[in-house]
Amino acid sequence: MFAREEPQEPEDEDDYDSSDLGSDYNKMDDTDKDWVAPEDRMGKIFRAKPIHELFNAYYLSAANAALCMPKLDNMFLEVTNGWNRHEFWYRVRDGVANSTWSSGDDPKAFEPSDEVLQLWKQVASARTGGDLGVEFDLL
C-alpha cells in the first residue's frame, strides 16, 4: 500500500542467466557473500509514500464491515511496510465516536477521501446517533 521507487537495472548484465541462481553466488569470495542486491535492499523511508487509492479502498471495506457490526465500539487497523507505518483507530467512548488516522513523519501523509469519511460518519451515526470526530496524528 506504499509506493517505492525501484532500483535501476544495470545495463551490463546481458549475459546473465536468471535460471541459474546459485552460479554467481558460488563464485563469490566469503567477504562478498554479505552483499545484498539492490532490489532486495530495504527501501528508504523518505522514498515511500501512501497510495491513496489503495488506502481509500481499504478503509471503505473496513467501514462497510463496521456497518455490519452492531456492537462495534473499537476498531484498530495498522498497515506496515518496512519502516513505514500507518494506523487507523475508530472508537466509541461515552457515546461519542472518534476516528484517528496516524502516519509516521507527516500526520497528513494520507487524507481519506470524502467517500471514506462519509461512510465512517454513517457508521458513527448508526452506533451513536451523533457525528464522527476526525483527527490526524503522528505515530
PDB file of all heavy atoms in Angstrom, residues 96-117:
ATOM      1  N   VAL A  96     -19.648   8.911  22.150  1.00  0.00           N
ATOM      2  CA  VAL A  96     -19.034   9.782  21.140  1.00  0.00           C
ATOM      3  C   VAL A  96     -18.066   8.955  20.294  1.00  0.00           C
ATOM      4  O   VAL A  96     -17.182   8.287  20.831  1.00  0.00           O
ATOM      5  CB  VAL A  96     -18.284  10.963  21.811  1.00  0.00           C
ATOM      6  CG1 VAL A  96     -17.611  11.824  20.754  1.00  0.00           C
ATOM      7  CG2 VAL A  96     -19.221  11.782  22.669  1.00  0.00           C
ATOM      8  N   ALA A  97     -18.245   9.032  18.967  1.00  0.00           N
ATOM      9  CA  ALA A  97     -17.388   8.273  18.050  1.00  0.00           C
ATOM     10  C   ALA A  97     -16.266   9.158  17.525  1.00  0.00           C
ATOM     11  O   ALA A  97     -16.502  10.297  17.125  1.00  0.00           O
ATOM     12  CB  ALA A  97     -18.208   7.738  16.888  1.00  0.00           C
ATOM     13  N   ASN A  98     -15.042   8.619  17.547  1.00  0.00           N
ATOM     14  CA  ASN A  98     -13.866   9.329  17.037  1.00  0.00           C
ATOM     15  C   ASN A  98     -13.073   8.411  16.119  1.00  0.00           C
ATOM     16  O   ASN A  98     -13.021   7.194  16.334  1.00  0.00           O
ATOM     17  CB  ASN A  98     -12.949   9.778  18.179  1.00  0.00           C
ATOM     18  CG  ASN A  98     -13.539  10.917  18.954  1.00  0.00           C
ATOM     19  OD1 ASN A  98     -13.837  11.960  18.380  1.00  0.00           O
ATOM     20  ND2 ASN A  98     -13.720  10.729  20.246  1.00  0.00           N
ATOM     21  N   SER A  99     -12.437   9.018  15.130  1.00  0.00           N
ATOM     22  CA  SER A  99     -11.530   8.272  14.263  1.00  0.00           C
ATOM     23  C   SER A  99     -10.213   9.027  14.196  1.00  0.00           C
ATOM     24  O   SER A  99     -10.195  10.259  14.153  1.00  0.00           O
ATOM     25  CB  SER A  99     -12.120   8.120  12.857  1.00  0.00           C
ATOM     26  OG  SER A  99     -12.298   9.382  12.263  1.00  0.00           O
ATOM     27  N   THR A 100      -9.112   8.274  14.216  1.00  0.00           N
ATOM     28  CA  THR A 100      -7.787   8.876  14.152  1.00  0.00           C
ATOM     29  C   THR A 100      -6.979   8.167  13.074  1.00  0.00           C
ATOM     30  O   THR A 100      -6.858   6.945  13.098  1.00  0.00           O
ATOM     31  CB  THR A 100      -7.056   8.760  15.507  1.00  0.00           C
ATOM     32  OG1 THR A 100      -7.871   9.343  16.523  1.00  0.00           O
ATOM     33  CG2 THR A 100      -5.715   9.459  15.460  1.00  0.00           C
ATOM     34  N   TRP A 101      -6.463   8.949  12.126  1.00  0.00           N
ATOM     35  CA  TRP A 101      -5.544   8.442  11.123  1.00  0.00           C
ATOM     36  C   TRP A 101      -4.159   8.920  11.518  1.00  0.00           C
ATOM     37  O   TRP A 101      -3.940  10.114  11.721  1.00  0.00           O
ATOM     38  CB  TRP A 101      -5.902   8.982   9.734  1.00  0.00           C
ATOM     39  CG  TRP A 101      -6.973   8.206   9.030  1.00  0.00           C
ATOM     40  CD1 TRP A 101      -6.781   7.143   8.211  1.00  0.00           C
ATOM     41  CD2 TRP A 101      -8.389   8.438   9.070  1.00  0.00           C
ATOM     42  NE1 TRP A 101      -7.989   6.694   7.737  1.00  0.00           N
ATOM     43  CE2 TRP A 101      -8.996   7.465   8.247  1.00  0.00           C
ATOM     44  CE3 TRP A 101      -9.212   9.355   9.724  1.00  0.00           C
ATOM     45  CZ2 TRP A 101     -10.363   7.400   8.050  1.00  0.00           C
ATOM     46  CZ3 TRP A 101     -10.579   9.280   9.529  1.00  0.00           C
ATOM     47  CH2 TRP A 101     -11.140   8.312   8.708  1.00  0.00           C
ATOM     48  N   SER A 102      -3.200   7.997  11.636  1.00  0.00           N
ATOM     49  CA  SER A 102      -1.840   8.347  12.063  1.00  0.00           C
ATOM     50  C   SER A 102      -0.823   7.825  11.059  1.00  0.00           C
ATOM     51  O   SER A 102      -0.958   6.710  10.562  1.00  0.00           O
ATOM     52  CB  SER A 102      -1.533   7.729  13.427  1.00  0.00           C
ATOM     53  OG  SER A 102      -2.464   8.143  14.384  1.00  0.00           O
ATOM     54  N   SER A 103       0.189   8.648  10.793  1.00  0.00           N
ATOM     55  CA  SER A 103       1.287   8.249   9.917  1.00  0.00           C
ATOM     56  C   SER A 103       2.598   8.600  10.582  1.00  0.00           C
ATOM     57  O   SER A 103       2.627   9.400  11.524  1.00  0.00           O
ATOM     58  CB  SER A 103       1.189   8.962   8.571  1.00  0.00           C
ATOM     59  OG  SER A 103       0.056   8.527   7.861  1.00  0.00           O
ATOM     60  N   GLY A 104       3.682   8.042  10.063  1.00  0.00           N
ATOM     61  CA  GLY A 104       4.997   8.227  10.658  1.00  0.00           C
ATOM     62  C   GLY A 104       5.468   9.653  10.781  1.00  0.00           C
ATOM     63  O   GLY A 104       5.410  10.252  11.835  1.00  0.00           O
ATOM     64  N   ASP A 105       5.951  10.245   9.706  1.00  0.00           N
ATOM     65  CA  ASP A 105       6.568  11.567   9.767  1.00  0.00           C
ATOM     66  C   ASP A 105       5.599  12.708   9.519  1.00  0.00           C
ATOM     67  O   ASP A 105       5.827  13.819   9.950  1.00  0.00           O
ATOM     68  CB  ASP A 105       7.699  11.671   8.738  1.00  0.00           C
ATOM     69  CG  ASP A 105       8.837  10.731   9.068  1.00  0.00           C
ATOM     70  OD1 ASP A 105       9.020  10.436  10.257  1.00  0.00           O
ATOM     71  OD2 ASP A 105       9.531  10.293   8.139  1.00  0.00           O
ATOM     72  N   ASP A 106       4.534  12.454   8.796  1.00  0.00           N
ATOM     73  CA  ASP A 106       3.612  13.510   8.386  1.00  0.00           C
ATOM     74  C   ASP A 106       2.193  13.071   8.718  1.00  0.00           C
ATOM     75  O   ASP A 106       1.698  12.095   8.147  1.00  0.00           O
ATOM     76  CB  ASP A 106       3.761  13.746   6.879  1.00  0.00           C
ATOM     77  CG  ASP A 106       2.853  14.843   6.357  1.00  0.00           C
ATOM     78  OD1 ASP A 106       2.188  15.511   7.170  1.00  0.00           O
ATOM     79  OD2 ASP A 106       2.819  15.032   5.132  1.00  0.00           O
ATOM     80  N   PRO A 107       1.518  13.776   9.636  1.00  0.00           N
ATOM     81  CA  PRO A 107       0.171  13.348  10.004  1.00  0.00           C
ATOM     82  C   PRO A 107      -0.823  13.419   8.851  1.00  0.00           C
ATOM     83  O   PRO A 107      -1.841  12.756   8.868  1.00  0.00           O
ATOM     84  CB  PRO A 107      -0.221  14.305  11.127  1.00  0.00           C
ATOM     85  CG  PRO A 107       0.669  15.479  10.985  1.00  0.00           C
ATOM     86  CD  PRO A 107       1.926  14.975  10.345  1.00  0.00           C
ATOM     87  N   LYS A 108      -0.513  14.201   7.834  1.00  0.00           N
ATOM     88  CA  LYS A 108      -1.419  14.313   6.690  1.00  0.00           C
ATOM     89  C   LYS A 108      -0.860  13.607   5.451  1.00  0.00           C
ATOM     90  O   LYS A 108      -1.217  13.950   4.328  1.00  0.00           O
ATOM     91  CB  LYS A 108      -1.695  15.783   6.394  1.00  0.00           C
ATOM     92  CG  LYS A 108      -2.420  16.484   7.516  1.00  0.00           C
ATOM     93  CD  LYS A 108      -3.718  16.989   7.033  1.00  0.00           C
ATOM     94  CE  LYS A 108      -4.466  17.654   8.171  1.00  0.00           C
ATOM     95  NZ  LYS A 108      -5.661  18.265   7.728  1.00  0.00           N
ATOM     96  N   ALA A 109       0.040  12.617   5.653  1.00  0.00           N
ATOM     97  CA  ALA A 109       0.587  11.867   4.524  1.00  0.00           C
ATOM     98  C   ALA A 109      -0.545  11.175   3.772  1.00  0.00           C
ATOM     99  O   ALA A 109      -0.494  11.019   2.561  1.00  0.00           O
ATOM    100  CB  ALA A 109       1.601  10.841   4.997  1.00  0.00           C
ATOM    101  N   PHE A 110      -1.570  10.762   4.499  1.00  0.00           N
ATOM    102  CA  PHE A 110      -2.778  10.198   3.886  1.00  0.00           C
ATOM    103  C   PHE A 110      -3.972  10.941   4.442  1.00  0.00           C
ATOM    104  O   PHE A 110      -4.134  11.048   5.658  1.00  0.00           O
ATOM    105  CB  PHE A 110      -2.920   8.705   4.182  1.00  0.00           C
ATOM    106  CG  PHE A 110      -4.273   8.180   3.805  1.00  0.00           C
ATOM    107  CD1 PHE A 110      -4.592   7.979   2.476  1.00  0.00           C
ATOM    108  CD2 PHE A 110      -5.236   7.939   4.762  1.00  0.00           C
ATOM    109  CE1 PHE A 110      -5.852   7.531   2.117  1.00  0.00           C
ATOM    110  CE2 PHE A 110      -6.489   7.481   4.405  1.00  0.00           C
ATOM    111  CZ  PHE A 110      -6.801   7.271   3.089  1.00  0.00           C
ATOM    112  N   GLU A 111      -4.796  11.445   3.551  1.00  0.00           N
ATOM    113  CA  GLU A 111      -6.060  12.039   3.945  1.00  0.00           C
ATOM    114  C   GLU A 111      -7.162  11.234   3.270  1.00  0.00           C
ATOM    115  O   GLU A 111      -7.156  11.069   2.052  1.00  0.00           O
ATOM    116  CB  GLU A 111      -6.141  13.508   3.527  1.00  0.00           C
ATOM    117  CG  GLU A 111      -5.191  14.385   4.311  1.00  0.00           C
ATOM    118  CD  GLU A 111      -5.407  15.869   4.031  1.00  0.00           C
ATOM    119  OE1 GLU A 111      -6.559  16.278   3.831  1.00  0.00           O
ATOM    120  OE2 GLU A 111      -4.409  16.585   3.998  1.00  0.00           O
ATOM    121  N   PRO A 112      -8.106  10.715   4.047  1.00  0.00           N
ATOM    122  CA  PRO A 112      -9.163   9.889   3.458  1.00  0.00           C
ATOM    123  C   PRO A 112     -10.033  10.695   2.501  1.00  0.00           C
ATOM    124  O   PRO A 112     -10.224  11.902   2.681  1.00  0.00           O
ATOM    125  CB  PRO A 112      -9.956   9.408   4.670  1.00  0.00           C
ATOM    126  CG  PRO A 112      -9.624  10.359   5.756  1.00  0.00           C
ATOM    127  CD  PRO A 112      -8.266  10.888   5.480  1.00  0.00           C
ATOM    128  N   SER A 113     -10.565  10.002   1.517  1.00  0.00           N
ATOM    129  CA  SER A 113     -11.451  10.654   0.552  1.00  0.00           C
ATOM    130  C   SER A 113     -12.771  11.020   1.228  1.00  0.00           C
ATOM    131  O   SER A 113     -13.098  10.534   2.316  1.00  0.00           O
ATOM    132  CB  SER A 113     -11.714   9.720  -0.630  1.00  0.00           C
ATOM    133  OG  SER A 113     -12.494   8.613  -0.206  1.00  0.00           O
ATOM    134  N   ASP A 114     -13.537  11.874   0.571  1.00  0.00           N
ATOM    135  CA  ASP A 114     -14.858  12.262   1.097  1.00  0.00           C
ATOM    136  C   ASP A 114     -15.764  11.045   1.240  1.00  0.00           C
ATOM    137  O   ASP A 114     -16.537  10.944   2.190  1.00  0.00           O
ATOM    138  CB  ASP A 114     -15.514  13.299   0.190  1.00  0.00           C
ATOM    139  CG  ASP A 114     -14.809  14.639   0.244  1.00  0.00           C
ATOM    140  OD1 ASP A 114     -14.115  14.911   1.254  1.00  0.00           O
ATOM    141  OD2 ASP A 114     -14.942  15.419  -0.720  1.00  0.00           O
ATOM    142  N   GLU A 115     -15.653  10.108   0.306  1.00  0.00           N
ATOM    143  CA  GLU A 115     -16.465   8.888   0.359  1.00  0.00           C
ATOM    144  C   GLU A 115     -16.140   8.068   1.617  1.00  0.00           C
ATOM    145  O   GLU A 115     -17.039   7.566   2.290  1.00  0.00           O
ATOM    146  CB  GLU A 115     -16.213   8.065  -0.906  1.00  0.00           C
ATOM    147  CG  GLU A 115     -17.075   6.837  -1.017  1.00  0.00           C
ATOM    148  CD  GLU A 115     -16.788   6.039  -2.276  1.00  0.00           C
ATOM    149  OE1 GLU A 115     -15.807   6.335  -2.988  1.00  0.00           O
ATOM    150  OE2 GLU A 115     -17.552   5.089  -2.525  1.00  0.00           O
ATOM    151  N   VAL A 116     -14.859   7.962   1.942  1.00  0.00           N
ATOM    152  CA  VAL A 116     -14.437   7.237   3.145  1.00  0.00           C
ATOM    153  C   VAL A 116     -14.979   7.935   4.394  1.00  0.00           C
ATOM    154  O   VAL A 116     -15.555   7.300   5.276  1.00  0.00           O
ATOM    155  CB  VAL A 116     -12.897   7.115   3.210  1.00  0.00           C
ATOM    156  CG1 VAL A 116     -12.440   6.597   4.561  1.00  0.00           C
ATOM    157  CG2 VAL A 116     -12.383   6.215   2.103  1.00  0.00           C
ATOM    158  N   LEU A 117     -14.812   9.247   4.455  1.00  0.00           N
ATOM    159  CA  LEU A 117     -15.298   9.994   5.623  1.00  0.00           C
ATOM    160  C   LEU A 117     -16.813   9.878   5.773  1.00  0.00           C
ATOM    161  O   LEU A 117     -17.322   9.690   6.882  1.00  0.00           O
ATOM    162  CB  LEU A 117     -14.884  11.461   5.522  1.00  0.00           C
ATOM    163  CG  LEU A 117     -13.401  11.742   5.736  1.00  0.00           C
ATOM    164  CD1 LEU A 117     -13.094  13.209   5.452  1.00  0.00           C
ATOM    165  CD2 LEU A 117     -12.979  11.373   7.140  1.00  0.00           C
TER     166      LEU A 117
END
